[in-house]
Amino acid sequence: MFTPSRIKHCRVCGTEVAWRVPPGDNRDRAVCPACGEIHYENPINVVGTVPVWDESVLLCRRNIEPRYGLWTLPAGFLELGESTAEGALRETDEEAGAHIELQGLFTVLDVVRARQVHLFYRASMLDTHLAPGPETIEARLFREHEVPWDELAFRTVRMTLEHFFADRRAGAFGVHVGHVA
Amino acid sequence: MFTPSRIKHCRVCGTEVAWRVPPGDNRDRAVCPACGEIHYENPINVVGTVPVWDESVLLCRRNIEPRYGLWTLPAGFLELGESTAEGALRETDEEAGAHIELQGLFTVLDVVRARQVHLFYRASMLDTHLAPGPETIEARLFREHEVPWDELAFRTVRMTLEHFFADRRAGAFGVHVGHVA
């Protein structure tokens, strides 16, 4: 899946960009022929949590595209001015209104074709109060056998949940690195 | 340290952007008043390695700004089309010309003010052949007591090296998550 760049004009001066390899670089960038600005494009981070209460994990049913109506762990794009942990906490608040305490980093999953890296932290829910935000149709707790495996929104959510239940059975949580092909 | 945005013009149509909160969002974005394009800005990933040969680690002396002349682990910006592991391998090749085999993910370090997340993998050097690229003055192996601690380029490099030597003494390598204040 090749995603064409959306960069047609210079962000600094508005001139139409040219694609070329800047001096000292080794790949094509959108370069401004007027002011010289180089526009780099890089993968961005999606940060989220695996919120746990007793035997259950918290999932949110998406009220937005893509994957409207499917279930996800609370997650979203890391913003400027926050750490990956802070972003994961914020997304869990925004999407589920859940009160959590972060545990360790749990999965780091490359999603190369989507130009993303997904990072999930384990989290303990402090209570069962939930207040889903506008991006969520409903948020609820699922025991392992209740997880809607065929209605999960993203493969990284599936992978993270699979690692979670496997590690819980094994009695020890690691940090799992992987990728979506 | 507040870094003002470089976005003044729309990347799609070149019109001057306006800063406002898009519908359904909760923070200011550069929005194009003509075509509606929303310009998100997010932290980007720096990926690198801790290349190990016998008792030594490989450091590179920077031939570029920032931190010209100081020592770093091989690392650089994650590019589109590659995983974090692939990016770490590529940077190690470009900066040091070292032949390595990646081991596990080792550190994930938020550098919020620089708008970056740094991810370092441990790596085994397959031989001592080195061929530093144009970004590197010299590359060489350092035993722990030889590491130029006062001439390291980045705090994440120092933190990663400290974790590395501590874990090696302890006889087990973990994954370390942290941040630069």
Side-chain angles (χ1 to χ4, degrees), chain A residues 6 8-13 26-27 29 37 41-43 45 78-81 84 94 110 112 115, chain B residues 6 8-12 26-27 29 37 41-43 45 78-81 84 94 110 112 115:
Chain A
R6 296 185 68 77
K8 311 292 181 201
H9 290 265
C10 175
R11 64 184 168 189
V12 175
C13 72
N26 53 22
R27 64 188 73 200
R29 313 283 183 187
E37 177 82 355
E41 293 180 278
N42 305 87
N45 292 322
L78 181 64
E79 299 278 2
L80 297 183
T84 53
E94 288 179 4
D110 292 289
V112 173
R115 306 172 157 206
Chain B
R6 296 185 69 77
K8 310 292 180 202
H9 290 264
C10 175
R11 63 183 167 191
V12 174
N26 54 22
R27 65 188 71 200
R29 313 284 183 186
E37 177 81 356
E41 292 179 279
N42 305 87
N45 292 321
L78 180 65
E79 297 279 1
L80 298 183
T84 52
E94 287 179 5
D110 293 289
V112 173
R115 305 172 157 204

Side-chain angles (χ1 to χ4, degrees), chain B residues 151-170:
Chain B
E151 296 169 50
L152 295 179
F154 303 106
R155 288 166 68 187
T156 57
V157 168
R158 165 182 285 272
M159 292 166 78
T160 298
L161 288 172
E162 287 172 346
H163 282 303
F164 175 79
F165 291 118
D167 279 14
R168 192 171 67 176
R169 273 192 296 278

Side-chain angles (χ1 to χ4, degrees), chain B:
Chain B
M1 186 171 62
F2 172 70
T3 308
S5 173
R6 296 185 69 77
I7 303 176
K8 310 292 180 202
H9 290 264
C10 175
R11 63 183 167 191
V12 174
C13 73
T15 303
E16 211 168 306
V17 297
W19 287 84
R20 59 169 183 253
V21 180
D25 202 340
N26 54 22
R27 65 188 71 200
D28 261 8
R29 313 284 183 186
V31 180
C32 179
C35 76
E37 177 81 356
I38 303 170
H39 304 74
Y40 298 96
E41 292 179 279
N42 305 87
I44 60 182
N45 292 321
V46 169
V47 291
T49 61
V50 186
V52 179
W53 175 262
D54 195 16
E55 294 291 305
S56 301
V57 298
L58 180 68
L59 298 178
C60 298
R61 199 162 158 238
R62 288 173 65 82
N63 195 31
I64 51 172
E65 295 293 350
R67 317 291 163 84
Y68 175 91
L70 297 183
W71 293 89
T72 183
L73 290 163
F77 292 115
L78 180 65
E79 297 279 1
L80 298 183
E82 67 186 9
S83 66
T84 52
E86 289 165 346
L89 263 173
R90 176 184 52 73
E91 288 290 345
T92 307
D93 177 49
E94 287 179 5
E95 298 193 351
H99 305 144
I100 60 168
E101 184 173 270
L102 279 195
Q103 312 292 324
L105 180 65
F106 186 56
T107 53
V108 178
L109 302 169
D110 293 289
V111 192
V112 173
R113 287 194 296 180
R115 305 172 157 204
Q116 295 172 357
V117 180
H118 291 200
L119 300 100
F120 286 91
Y121 284 82
R122 288 183 298 111
S124 296
M125 290 175 66
L126 302 175
D127 54 53
T128 55
H129 171 84
L130 296 173
E135 298 186 2
T136 303
I137 297 169
E138 60 174 316
R140 57 166 276 217
L141 292 164
F142 292 88
R143 288 166 173 268
E144 182 173 2
H145 69 274
E146 299 169 328
V147 169
W149 293 103
D150 295 332
E151 296 169 50
L152 295 179
F154 303 106
R155 288 166 68 187
T156 57
V157 168
R158 165 182 285 272
M159 292 166 78
T160 298
L161 288 172
E162 287 172 346
H163 282 303
F164 175 79
F165 291 118
D167 279 14
R168 192 171 67 176
R169 273 192 296 278
F173 292 100
V175 181
H176 302 275
V177 180
H179 66 280
V180 170

